[in-house]
Amino acid sequence: MPANETAPPAKKKGRRARLIVLVLVLALFAGLGYGAYWGVDGVRASFPQTTGSLKVPGLTGTVEVKRDAHGIPQLYADNDDDLFRAQGFVHAQDRFWEMDVRRHMTSGRLSEMFGAGQVETDAFLRTLGWRQVAQAEYDTKLSPETKKYLQAYADGVNAYLKGKSGKDLSVEHAALKLSDGYQPEQWSPVDSVAWLKAMAWDLRGNMQDEIDRALMSSKLSAAQIDELYPPYPFDRNKPIVEGGKVEGGKYAPQTSGATGSGSGSNGTGSGSGSALGSQASTGTGTGTATGTGLADNVTAQGATVGLRNQLTALAATLDKVPAILGPNGSGIGSNSWVVSGKYTTTGKPLLANDPHLSPQLPSVWYQMGLHCRTVSAQCQYDVAGYTFSGMPGVVIGHNTDIAWGMTNLGADVTDLFLEQVGPEGYAYDGKVLPFTIREEVIKVAGGASKKITVRTTNNGPLVSDRSEELATVGTRAPVASSAPDRGDGYAVALRWTALDPGKTMDSVFKLNRAKTFDDFRKAAADFDVPSQNLIYADNKGQNGNIGYQAPGRIPMRGQGDGRMPTPGWDSKYAWKGGKDSNAGYIPQSEMPWDSNPSRGYIVTANQAVVESGTGAGKYPYLLTTDWGYGARSQRINDLIEAKIKDGGKISTDDMRTMQMDNSSEIAALLTPMLAKIQVSDPGVRAAQKLLDGWNYTQESDSAAAAYFNAVWRNILKLSFGDKMPKELRIEGSCMNVLGNGTGPADDLAKTVRECGTRGPDSAQPDGGDRWFEVVRRLVKDEKSPWWSSPRTLTQPETTTRDELFARAMKDARWELTAKLGKDQSTWSWGRLHQLNLKNQTIGTEGPGFMQWLLNRGPWNLGGGEATVNATGWNASSGYGVTWVPSMRMVVNLNDLDKSRWINLTGASGHAYNAHYTDQTTLWAKGELLEWPFGKDAVEKATVDTLTLKPEGS
């Protein structure tokens, strides 16, 4: 039975009603109704003081806060405690609403702010226990020094909060206070640590792929699923590190460097069949299960329905969890690369980074400099870069000696375990073990509290307890006689590395003060979650040094490869080592790294880190089978190679230009084929001619890019989307299918109307570079069954590639006519591909008036999915921008004051402040701001100075 002990939580209706109340209050503040209630003064009440002086409790000396014309602060202090106390104060000045929402989310307490509509989300987050893990990290793992910094930061936030409420904090807080008297509580050090759990959740790896493959098995065969998850193309797209090896308990990079294009092997492959059984053919769903099965336990036709239902419910639950960095899927990633001084115009390294995350308003990043007036044992920091509001230190940036960047490594750090449960506990190796149980009470603004019970197995918390559908896990799950009795069904537990306490917060401070590559690698060793690709550059020696380190807590599994849900009752499938033990993870000393490769550069863009397997040059551990497929990374490699060929040099501006590269790999592959197709319809033929002479770049004003991407979207829909189970198709997409014979009222010959249920962020096919690779392999087979599509009222049946392409070209022509008009001369990619920025929480739901009040946009953008300028979009749901380079930076190690940076929005989180979105238009154009670092450069750029003073001074 599920562990929920109260009635099901209120759905979106309750939340919407509450938000409407908030909107009315916001209208009063904006002076838009009821006699301009507080008007301009009410809006400006929360703006930060940026000049003069303020007294801050706990400071031992003065701290100067110097802001430039974009409101970006540089802090100057005489000791570490004062520096981080001031950082907390300044973060709160500009971003406290964002910080307050985040801490309520990470602790599963959104209902306290927004009412009953958030109970379901809170219950799921309480089940994961982010806050409990953060508390354990603070209590048992972090160094005394880190804890001291966290406390100083919290004291700074609380100094800002003292005596403030409502409109003094933000317009949004004013709305909450007037609607029910909401008053923020004091900030705590654990509030900062818990943020790392949200970061890790959004970068958790292949959990969505694991769910999707399981759901696909209801309609596709194991072989078909494998076709949709092809192996990484090592023969074409370089991994990050080549030629290294593990020996003597240590990873040894190939010291001679690597310039080849790989071994041509298929690497780790994509697994061996469906883990849940499958059907022999697409269509009616009447085939015989042929997969190798859930722990080799597939037996019965149609037996996947129960598990399918629970995984569908889990996917829906995951979609509701606020994604601060972005929904987990193919788009999430980043670009970073570093070029040795041997190949730069400056003679020292250049380092570029642009993390690809979902667009947020304000941006998830906050630019800041943290400077000790004199670096010493008492004051160790002189660093600048991108910070997270709510957390001390700099996450990505540079100090006086080194620069570093990050991209998501994409390691598989989550597994779903099926658990055979009963009243007394859960089955494990023939025994019944008791659950670990805790009670949680969710307080609800404007309503009664809700009580839940969280049950945990040795594989992790039972995430299925949060849904009535998931409570009947495995009622028809495909298992063999060797499996335990299913009883009332199997539950689903989540094993995730981030649920074990770690030391990532220690790592952040170590990175901030690192001076050498050895310091950098020691800092990386503590970067437990999320697992990131860390790149490095310094200014030592003639040309400086460049490097790479793969850190992270990555599990070593028993049986299984993490591609499908695993039987939790069998210890053979458990992760090696116990919980909270490093014994079950790949040793950090054996994680891949590289230093000064002879090719002179390092590129990380979510491609494979290494080629796993046995034999020479292969990495002995499995990091994941679900890498990004290397479209962006190889393009960056090619751009660098082209520039340095025959003695060329790369400049800071060259790095910026590469960041804005809009070239489409899939367009280069398919456009020549599309151009050869015979088209009779004059309107379609006219659109086809747009592709003549097109260079495959997706500029905002390009009509060819608009038409090609519409064709690509329709190719995906016809060849793959319409063959997906409804649980993966976009919500509202309906089609007629034959009954599948799994229910008592079903008739195999009966046509039923079936509509998609997946949300827009994770619907498939999403059009990412995995789909590039799928289509690249299939286009060689002109009669592949994937090219079949049924006849409709307006379109004939297709059975070949060119027939389907022709149909997609026609559908795309009339789709764009409806969206952009009949006149092709007015078409442009940017009109389809727009960025809209939504204010956190209150700006994402509610009537259009609220969106107008708090949100900004649109901006017409170039770029696209899996391009270097990764303005991603989900092909199943439309053309709107869902992923962006959330910031861009280029660090010049020869002269740090000539480095450049930009943020997606601005420094301020206050909706009417001048710095709310003052960087966005520049960002959209690909421009970068000056990034002063040295004292003289900062002084020259300063327009406002605020002095923070100790009390009593």
Side-chain angles (χ1 to χ4, degrees), residues 567-583:
W569 53 79
D570 191 338
S571 62
K572 293 194 301 290
Y573 295 88
W575 290 5
K576 297 179 181 178
K579 286 183 69 66
D580 198 23
S581 167
N582 288 325

Side-chain angles (χ1 to χ4, degrees), residues 522-540:
K522 289 175 182 176
D526 287 336
F527 208 101
D528 295 316
V529 295
S531 185
Q532 298 287 284
N533 296 306
L534 294 177
I535 61 166
Y536 168 92
D538 69 32
N539 51 21
K540 307 296 191 298

Side-chain angles (χ1 to χ4, degrees), residues 435-475:
F435 297 110
T436 300
I437 292 176
R438 73 174 188 273
E439 304 290 338
E440 295 277 354
V441 177
I442 299 172
K443 297 179 181 179
V444 182
S449 297
K450 308 293 183 181
K451 181 181 177 183
I452 65 170
T453 298
V454 177
R455 302 187 296 176
T456 301
T457 74
N458 56 8
N459 290 314
L462 292 184
V463 290
S464 53
D465 278 353
R466 302 284 72 86
S467 163
E468 291 182 8
E469 288 180 292
L470 289 173
T472 58
V473 167
T475 52

Side-chain angles (χ1 to χ4, degrees), residues 32-78:
L32 298 172
Y34 298 95
Y37 185 64
W38 275 297
V40 174
D41 289 341
V43 169
R44 290 180 175 175
S46 61
F47 286 8
Q49 179 178 334
T50 59
T51 60
S53 64
L54 288 170
K55 293 184 178 181
V56 175
L59 286 179
T60 61
T62 61
V63 179
E64 291 175 299
V65 182
K66 296 179 177 292
R67 295 177 183 259
D68 67 10
H70 287 88
I72 300 170
Q74 306 277 346
L75 279 55
Y76 289 85
D78 291 320

Side-chain angles (χ1 to χ4, degrees), residues 576-596:
K576 297 179 181 178
K579 286 183 69 66
D580 198 23
S581 167
N582 288 325
Y585 302 113
I586 298 172
Q588 184 62 36
S589 63
E590 298 183 20
M591 290 288 285
W593 62 279
D594 206 354
S595 177
N596 292 325

Side-chain angles (χ1 to χ4, degrees), residues 707 710-711 714 807-817:
Y707 182 60
V711 174
N714 280 278
R807 180 168 167 176
M809 291 170 69
K810 184 175 182 179
D811 287 350
R813 173 61 170 97
W814 301 118
E815 180 187 0
L816 293 197
T817 297

